Amino acid sequence: MQKNHAFALSALLLAAGAAPLSSAEAAQVTLSFSNLSAANGPALSPFFIALHDGSFDAFDVGTTASAAIEAIAEMGNGAGLSSAFAASSAAAAGGTSATVTASVNAFGPGIFLPGAKGSVTLDLDPVKNRYLSYFAMVVPSNDRFVGNESPTEIELFDAQGHFTGGTFVENGSSIWDAGTELDGTTGAAFLAGSNALDSPAQNGTIQANHDFAVYAGLGTPAGYNFTDLPGANTPLLQISAVSQVPVPAAVWLFGSVLPLFGWLRKRAAVPA
């Protein structure tokens, strides 16, 4: 009989290890964003981020940019993305969102100048907040932005709910052109003395584009000239995810089967 109980306990342990963690087993995670550009390189707007179950798909290459993507790409404004996320199935399933601003070498309202960093710490559910999506404008430009096209590109927790975290680096080849405005000095953001006029409409689609030649050498309101243009392989952005209170998978597993173990012991004490 004891062998049968031992076998049953082993089976329960295996089953618990294969099952996703529940929402009660949240992890405190710090997400850090760093502009890796060299001095005189591109700057980044504050980031709109969403933590979700993999269903928040904000844009697709080759399609017309939504109003929310247009706003982040032309003005660095994440309000539209925030509203789109709040109305999405990902948010209804327990997703969460936040804005990350620069805290080191910041310029203006949390702008990430070359070398600047910023972070946010959140309590995340391993199932509801398994994936990270991020969005920010790249300047100087008329309509450039960074963001992961695939909503499941950056995984923070694996299928069993274990925190995986890690560091993710994006290069210049990861910069997107929203296709909403033609490139030029008219209406471009982050140029010294630039006017508030809109540049001519492009009526294009979202495409990868790291060509910033039209802005080369121009002055920025941060006091430097834009001379370090991003190449396809130029490091641009680093995102790191670190669990502040890491709980080993074995601890979660052991805790999840303790009530079952007690039930088995009671069963064993019952006379046949």
Side-chain angles (χ1 to χ4, degrees), residues 42-249:
L44 304 169
S45 74
F47 286 81
F48 170 77
I49 64 172
L51 295 308
H52 55 90
D53 59 3
S55 61
F56 182 61
D57 189 4
F59 73 95
D60 293 298
V61 174
T63 64
T64 301
S66 66
I69 289 296
E70 181 177 4
I72 196 76
E74 293 184 6
M75 299 175 289
N77 187 339
L81 283 167
S82 179
S83 296
F85 181 72
S88 70
S89 60
T96 187
S97 64
T99 298
V100 185
T101 58
S103 58
V104 178
N105 296 326
F107 170 82
I111 300 296
F112 287 76
L113 294 181
K117 303 175 182 179
S119 63
V120 64
T121 300
L122 302 168
D123 290 326
L124 301 181
D125 182 291
V127 177
K128 299 174 182 177
N129 311 136
R130 182 179 175 185
Y131 298 99
L132 166 68
S133 291
Y134 69 92
F135 309 89
M137 185 180 187
V138 183
V139 291
S141 77
N142 294 79
D143 61 349
R144 304 293 175 84
F145 72 102
V146 288
N148 46 315
E149 180 200 17
S150 169
T152 58
E153 177 185 346
I154 300 181
E155 181 185 67
L156 302 180
F157 301 90
D158 65 19
Q160 283 69 49
H162 304 142
F163 177 75
T164 54
T167 298
F168 312 89
V169 176
E170 299 284 17
N171 296 329
S173 59
S174 301
I175 297 174
W176 304 107
D177 185 332
T180 55
E181 291 187 350
L182 292 174
D183 293 339
T185 57
T186 301
F190 205 63
L191 290 180
S194 64
N195 55 53
L197 298 175
D198 286 335
S199 64
Q202 185 177 0
N203 299 318
T205 59
I206 300 172
Q207 301 291 338
N209 188 351
H210 63 272
D211 182 4
F212 283 72
V214 69
Y215 313 107
L218 298 178
T220 71
Y224 68 88
N225 291 335
F226 182 50
T227 56
D228 199 316
L229 280 60
N233 298 315
T234 303
L236 175 70
L237 168 67
Q238 176 177 292
I239 304 172
S240 66
V242 178
S243 178
Q244 295 298 296
V245 186
V247 182

Side-chain angles (χ1 to χ4, degrees), residues 1-2 5 260-272:
M1 180 66 73
Q2 292 300 322
H5 289 312
L260 297 173
F261 182 62
W263 179 80
L264 285 171
R265 291 189 62 184
K266 291 179 181 179
R267 281 285 304 269
V270 177

